[in-house]
Amino acid sequence: MADSATTEDILLETPLAGLHRELGARMVPFAGYSMPVQYPLGILSEHNWTRDSAGLFDVSHMGQAYLVGPDHATTARALEALTPGDFLALAPGRVRYTLLTTPEGGIIDDLMVTRSADPSEDGTLYLVVNAGRKAIDYAHIAANLPEGVQLEIAGQLALIALQGPKAAEVLARHCPDSAAMGFMTAIRTTIDGIDCHISRSGYTGEDGYEISVVEDHAEPLARALLAEPEVEPIGLGARDSLRLEAGLCLYGHDIDEATSPVEADLGFALAKRRRAEGGFPGAERIQGELADGPAQLRVGIKPEGRAPAREGAEIRDAAGRQIGIVTSGGFGPTAGGPIAMGYVAAEHAAPGTPVTLVVRGKDLAATVVPMPFVPHRYFRKQA
């Protein structure tokens, strides 16, 4: 999940903007914010550093909010009316990825939902949505809630991601509670005495954490983590190549209000009970595509040679007919070459299918391949 860039004249800043500039970041407009695209280390080195050690990302531009009702069942049903996720069964302290869907089965946004482990917060779900979609999401959610359930926007919170194979080791020095967390779990705890909410999740394919903290405490927390020798600040450039290698969607590019979860290969976000029962926006289309197959599918593509195919490149079959379009593409440092994602007609979606990409007017041979391009290394807690 992520956001598309904008060119707003007046850009917002996160609580870490001053720290980014002090660290030598090159700032760019992104989703209405001035954000670091890279630091002096450079995008390629930042990418490799995150794969080998631990990268710190400022993701405070993302939207954070609470859905608050009188009890868990009431709040869960309110969210289930807007998404195909199973939130009635979401256990305390668990995190779930889901999708806001349109009545036509398209995707309004993708988001993370957490049920607090604290019994005193029963009836509250914590939401993290994409920066470029938060105004749309909030208006949509608020307009469709039943009586007794409210959306409360958490505008005073920052969000920091620590990602990479050494993230757990580093964070445990400051927060021993974090070491025992499983993938897609969340706790309220402290880091160096600072109150925060931590989830073991992220957007790079690596083990790691996302840390929500009151904005006034974001900079001291970030400085404490950056003081560790394993941690470097990482910008949006490396964040994009990391998520592409992990096969993760970027909203506005790989998914939008026209694409369905089935087309986008996000079937894991369609809970078994909800697939059977329906009752969510777009259920008719989504259930039909689950039963009969969609007309197109998001696939991984590996071009031959070293030239990358960017978003918008045509995908053609052996006869030269257009069968799809690239939605994300670039060089994968860990994958060792160019990689891309795109939508193709379903009959061309099988791994191993040869395709042709049209890059700057020239044909480029490529092959449909399984995703992710680089294996996920999420922490799987031992029983």
Side-chain angles (χ1 to χ4, degrees):
M1 59 185 288
D3 309 287
S4 58
T6 70
T7 54
E8 298 283 344
D9 291 330
I10 300 175
L11 296 172
L12 301 172
E13 293 195 333
T14 75
L16 296 179
L19 178 59
H20 298 318
R21 294 190 176 92
E22 177 185 320
L23 294 172
R26 184 162 73 85
M27 308 295 282
V28 298
F30 184 83
Y33 285 78
S34 178
M35 297 294 292
V37 67
Q38 68 176 89
Y39 296 86
L41 195 61
I43 292 174
L44 177 61
S45 295
E46 290 172 27
H47 178 110
N48 291 332
W49 187 277
T50 305
R51 289 273 184 251
D52 295 336
S53 190
L56 186 140
F57 303 75
D58 179 12
V59 286
S60 302
H61 58 309
M62 307 284 281
Q64 301 182 69
Y66 298 100
L67 202 57
V68 183
D71 53 68
H72 176 69
T74 301
T75 309
R77 288 193 184 96
L79 189 57
E80 287 192 2
L82 301 173
T83 73
D86 181 354
F87 297 104
L88 283 170
L90 185 63
R94 299 291 302 186
V95 183
R96 188 156 291 168
Y97 173 87
T98 195
L99 306 159
L100 291 170
T101 49
T102 71
E104 296 77 28
I107 300 170
I108 297 171
D109 199 6
D110 58 345
L111 62 156
M112 302 290 274
V113 179
T114 302
R115 180 181 179 185
S116 175
D118 184 344
S120 70
E121 296 179 323
D122 181 60
T124 296
L125 294 172
Y126 165 61
L127 313 179
V128 178
V129 306
N130 283 309
R133 300 294 287 178
K134 57 188 175 186
I136 294 168
D137 294 349
Y138 293 160
H140 174 73
I141 293 170
N144 290 281
L145 291 176
E147 188 175 348
V149 180
Q150 298 87 38
L151 179 72
E152 298 178 0
I153 299 169
Q156 305 303 311
L157 294 177
L159 193 63
I160 295 169
L162 187 67
Q163 300 281 295
K166 297 183 181 177
E169 174 187 342
V170 169
L171 190 59
R173 291 178 204 144
H174 301 262
C175 175
D177 293 348
S178 64
M181 295 174 65
F183 181 55
M184 297 294 271
T185 65
I187 57 172
R188 284 199 183 278
T189 183
T190 60
I191 299 177
D192 294 341
I194 298 172
D195 290 332
C196 58
H197 176 276
I198 302 175
S199 64
R200 197 159 192 171
S201 61
Y203 190 56
T204 60
E206 296 292 333
D207 182 24
Y209 303 84
E210 293 197 345
I211 304 163
S212 176
V213 61
V214 173
E215 59 183 4
D216 290 347
H217 294 155
E219 186 172 322
L221 193 154
R223 287 185 184 277
L225 296 175
L226 287 168
E228 298 290 349
E230 299 95 337
V231 182
E232 286 284 348
I234 310 297
L236 294 174
R239 183 170 169 85
D240 193 54
S241 57
L242 289 160
R243 74 91 194 166
L244 176 58
E245 287 187 335
L248 302 174
C249 291
L250 179 64
Y251 194 90
H253 300 257
D254 308 300
I255 52 177
D256 57 29
E257 293 195 13
T259 53
S260 79
V262 184
E263 290 177 330
D265 194 24
L266 297 175
F268 67 92
L270 307 172
K272 183 178 179 181
R273 173 175 64 84
R274 307 303 308 285
R275 291 180 183 217
E277 293 179 358
F280 54 87
E284 183 176 357
R285 172 186 176 185
I286 292 168
Q287 288 174 312
E289 290 181 349
L290 286 169
D292 303 327
Q296 63 172 1
L297 274 170
R298 180 174 66 95
V299 297
I301 301 168
K302 260 199 162 172
E304 295 181 8
R306 305 295 288 177
R310 305 293 184 185
E311 180 181 1
E314 282 187 15
I315 308 171
R316 295 180 177 173
D317 66 9
R321 294 170 298 203
Q322 183 175 350
I323 56 170
I325 196 160
V326 170
T327 51
S328 287
F331 182 79
T334 312
I339 53 177
M341 295 194 298
Y343 285 83
V344 297
E347 60 268 31
H348 300 282
T353 302
V355 296
T356 299
L357 306 178
V358 182
V359 178
R360 292 189 292 277
K362 296 181 179 178
D363 289 351
L364 182 66
T367 305
V368 175
V369 297
M371 290 191 287
F373 299 100
V374 173
H376 294 162
R377 296 196 291 186
Y378 302 133
F379 176 68
R380 303 296 181 184
K381 193 173 183 178
Q382 299 299 311

